[in-house]
Amino acid sequence: MLHYAVVFLVIALIAAVLGFGGLAGAAVGIAKILFYVFLVLFVLSLIFGRRRA
């Protein structure tokens, strides 16, 4: 999932350089959502992983 966040961030940067405002905004939004979902899942896996050990 982190891979998809990075891919959308790269797409957003390329679109911003080329001047595609709407596409860049959409890609940034998707990258932010995927990054926060990944971050929450990572923290939850750390918490629950320590409980089982």
Side-chain angles (χ1 to χ4, degrees), residues 9-25:
L9 179 63
V10 170
I11 291 172
L13 291 174
I14 292 171
V17 168
L18 295 177
F20 300 117
L23 179 64

